Amino acid sequence: MRAKKTAVPIPGPIDPKNLDDPRLYLGREMSMLEFQRRVLEEAQDAANPLLERVKFLGIFSSNLSEFFMVRVAGLKQQIEAGVAELSLDGRTPAEQMALIRRPPCN
């Protein structure tokens, strides 16, 4: 069992040499959403053949369904259980859920 950490904001600019700074990393949920964004961009790219775009939409749909059924459900369970342990990117389950709910930027 890992030691419980508390969320402490790190002041100042990000130092890329300080590899312990959690602001340098994306957690697995945010990383998965970023990947899904890139898959969706491929589906929207008119330079791709139509059938390839449809395949990307299928991948996006399948992966996003799995994401909500497994990962978001897991975060909800952690929140309901009162888990306050930080992920590797320095966020609590509640903070991760808030980021997932945030509207995407264009």
Side-chain angles (χ1 to χ4, degrees):
M1 185 178 209
R2 293 187 302 198
K4 203 181 239 187
K5 300 176 193 174
T6 56
V8 177
I10 298 173
I14 295 174
D15 177 10
K17 294 178 185 174
N18 178 9
L19 299 180
D20 292 329
D21 187 343
R23 296 176 297 172
L24 292 174
Y25 304 100
L26 285 177
R28 65 183 205 163
E29 282 74 17
M30 295 302 105
S31 177
M32 178 57 91
L33 285 178
E34 178 60 23
F35 172 74
Q36 294 307 322
R37 183 191 62 75
R38 293 191 308 269
V39 172
L40 186 58
E41 282 179 357
E42 289 296 323
Q44 295 172 327
D45 187 351
N48 288 329
L50 182 58
L51 188 54
E52 292 299 313
R53 294 172 67 189
V54 171
K55 288 179 184 179
F56 281 119
L57 281 175
I59 293 167
F60 173 77
S61 175
S62 174
N63 288 350
L64 205 58
S65 292
E66 181 271 340
F67 176 80
F68 279 94
M69 288 188 290
V70 176
R71 296 203 179 175
V72 171
L75 284 174
K76 286 177 128 180
Q77 288 175 343
Q78 290 179 25
I79 292 168
E80 289 169 4
V83 174
E85 186 174 320
L86 301 181
S87 61
L88 294 177
D89 63 349
R91 293 185 175 102
T92 65
E95 291 169 332
Q96 292 174 62
M97 187 65 82
L99 284 174
I100 291 168
R101 288 182 175 144
R102 186 181 67 190
C105 298
N106 290 335

